[in-house]
Structure formats: C-alpha cells, structure tokens
Amino acid sequence: MRRLFPLSTEPTTGSAAARGAEDREWGLDELADAYAYPDRPPGPTGAVLRANMVSSLDGAAHHDGRSQPLSSTADMRIFGVLRGLADAVVVGAETVRREGYRPARAREAFAERRAALGQAPAPAIAVVSAGLDLDFSLPLFTEPVVPTLVITGGRAAGDRLAAARASGADVVLAGDAESGRVDATTIVTALAARGHTRLLTEGGPKLLGLFAAAGVLDELCLSMAPMLAAGDAARIVNGVALVEPERFALASVLEEAGFLFTRYRRIYQ
C-alpha cells in the first residue's frame, strides 16, 4: 500500500486531490513530479541543497555501520528518483568508504526529463574530503558517466591532489587554506558556479551537520524506518548544536509497509 499526501499552499485540482488519497502504486514519473526541485533557489547560495537520509524510530542513522539495514524497496526507489533529479550528489568521504559508493547511472526513465532541463545523463558524485584519504583506483573515480568531483580544503597533501586529478576527478577547493577545513557554504556556491544548482546530499551525518550549521540546507527528505536499532549509532545530523533550532515545513508524506517517507522544506524568514 502506498499513499502520497502532498501538503502545499498552492491550489490543487480535484483530480490531483483525489489521486493523493488513493491506495495505489506510484510510478517513477509521478514520484519525479512530486519531488521536483523548485524553479528558483529559495536561499542566497544560487542552488537548492536537498538531503536524503534514513532513520530508525529511535533516531539511528545506520545499523552496524551501514544505512542499508534500515532501508526498503520503496526507500531505494525514492533514492533513485532523487538521484535522477539532481545535478550532483554530495557525499562525505567516510560514507563513500563505508557504503562502497559507485558512479551514478544514466537511467532511461529520467533521460527525457534531464535533457529538457539541460542536465548531464547522470548526476555527478561530489565527494567531500579534507585529507583526500580515498582510493582513486575505484570505479567511482575511473568509470563515471560524468567526472566525479572531489571537494577539499586547502591543505591536502600534494600527492593526494595529484592522485585525484590523475584519476580524472575534478578537484574543487572549497575551504580555508590555513586550517584545511572544508567550508559548507563554499561547497554549495562552488558547485552552483559549475552549473550544479540542483544538489542532493546523502550524508553522512557529519557532512549534514556542517550544512545544517552553515544554514544552507533547503530541504530534508527523511525516510523513517519502522525499526528500533538502539546502540550508539549517530543521528542523521551529527555536529555542533545550532544556536536556534532551524524550522522546516512538512511538504509531503508517502507511506508503504509502515515506512514513512517525508519531505520538509526550510522556512525562510
């Protein structure tokens, strides 16, 4: 059973409202319409940054080091749709290593939609790593449909920078040369300058914490798994406490087999 409950201040037609209340299968095109990026970035960065994360009922972002045990068939379908809509997928180096990241695929289901928007056949994967402790012989770097981006600060070792470039990766400097830390706002603006204005981050929690602290996260797509994990797994956002909690508005909810797939939009004052 699937239900999609769109919540919007925009007027809806009777047929659309009735469709939202039905128990039915939702196709990829329908999901792509439901999760479409806004026409204009709502914030000042020039891009829309959306996060896609999964959590257990008790707040665990992973189990036994990986998010897959908390996932489901519907979660993976939405995962694919969100990738199919994005210009670039931003992910932390730790998540790349833990989850065994590979290049994003060019999918026929999104080919016409992407071509109409002037997008590449597949989203670029953008890996954030201060020290570039990455295996540049992996397919993520050597066999992507579009070149993988490597985003780093200003103090990565020269041999690691050379290895990244030799693999074919596009190296993006987005940080402070003295501290070597990567700056979250600069990540977004640097990608926007390269034409990547529809951004998706899949974490991990530390990277999402950087984006939250910088105030550049525009949307959160959170999959809530009907599971308890316990243990000491990180939450979906793991970073310094915000001075004031950031307020988001619920945009839509999809349900299947007890999983809730929520979409929240940041409220800009």
Side-chain angles (χ1 to χ4, degrees):
M1 178 188 300
R2 293 186 177 92
R3 288 195 180 103
L4 182 65
F5 303 97
L7 302 177
S8 174
T9 57
E10 299 294 329
T12 57
T13 64
S15 60
R19 184 181 66 179
E22 294 175 357
D23 294 343
R24 63 192 299 278
E25 294 283 333
W26 288 83
L28 293 180
D29 283 338
E30 293 172 307
L31 289 172
D33 289 340
Y35 283 96
Y37 280 82
D39 293 334
R40 297 179 181 177
T45 62
V48 177
L49 177 62
R50 165 186 291 172
N52 181 32
M53 300 292 284
V54 63
S55 169
S56 67
L57 291 176
D58 53 326
H62 55 77
H63 182 68
D64 197 24
R66 300 181 67 236
S67 60
Q68 191 278 332
L70 302 179
S71 187
S72 68
T73 301
D75 182 46
M76 294 309 299
R77 172 179 285 190
I78 292 173
F79 176 93
V81 168
L82 294 180
R83 280 195 167 197
L85 299 176
D87 296 329
V89 178
V90 188
V91 63
E94 183 178 346
T95 298
V96 166
R97 291 188 291 265
R98 186 175 65 236
E99 302 282 357
Y101 261 59
R102 297 184 61 83
R105 296 182 294 119
R107 297 181 59 186
E108 183 62 31
F110 303 107
E112 185 176 345
R113 186 183 296 265
R114 294 184 68 87
L117 293 173
Q119 294 176 295
I125 303 295
V127 184
V128 180
S129 175
L132 298 185
D133 181 18
L134 297 161
D135 183 353
F136 292 110
S137 68
L138 294 176
L140 175 62
F141 302 101
T142 61
E143 301 176 13
V145 176
V146 293
T148 295
L149 298 110
V150 175
I151 304 174
T152 189
R155 294 187 64 184
D159 63 329
R160 301 310 298 159
L161 286 168
R165 293 189 173 108
S167 73
D170 180 6
V171 176
V172 180
L173 298 179
D176 180 74
E178 185 171 338
S179 69
R181 288 191 294 269
V182 183
D183 180 74
T185 302
T186 306
I187 291 173
V188 179
T189 56
L191 290 174
R194 282 169 164 76
H196 300 310
T197 59
R198 303 173 187 88
L199 302 178
L200 171 67
T201 180
E202 296 168 351
K206 290 181 181 178
L207 179 60
L208 195 51
L210 289 179
F211 287 135
V216 295
L217 183 65
D218 299 300
E219 292 189 4
L220 173 62
C221 298
L222 175 62
S223 300
M224 183 70 71
M227 306 175 189
L228 293 176
D232 57 358
R235 299 185 299 174
I236 64 165
V237 181
N238 188 7
V240 298
L242 303 181
V243 176
E244 293 289 340
E246 199 73 65
R247 183 76 181 183
F248 285 70
L250 181 63
S252 65
V253 180
L254 183 151
E255 182 271 339
E256 180 185 349
F259 281 77
L260 293 180
F261 304 99
T262 65
R263 180 185 180 191
Y264 289 87
R265 294 193 183 109
R266 182 182 174 191
I267 297 174
Y268 284 89
Q269 302 299 328

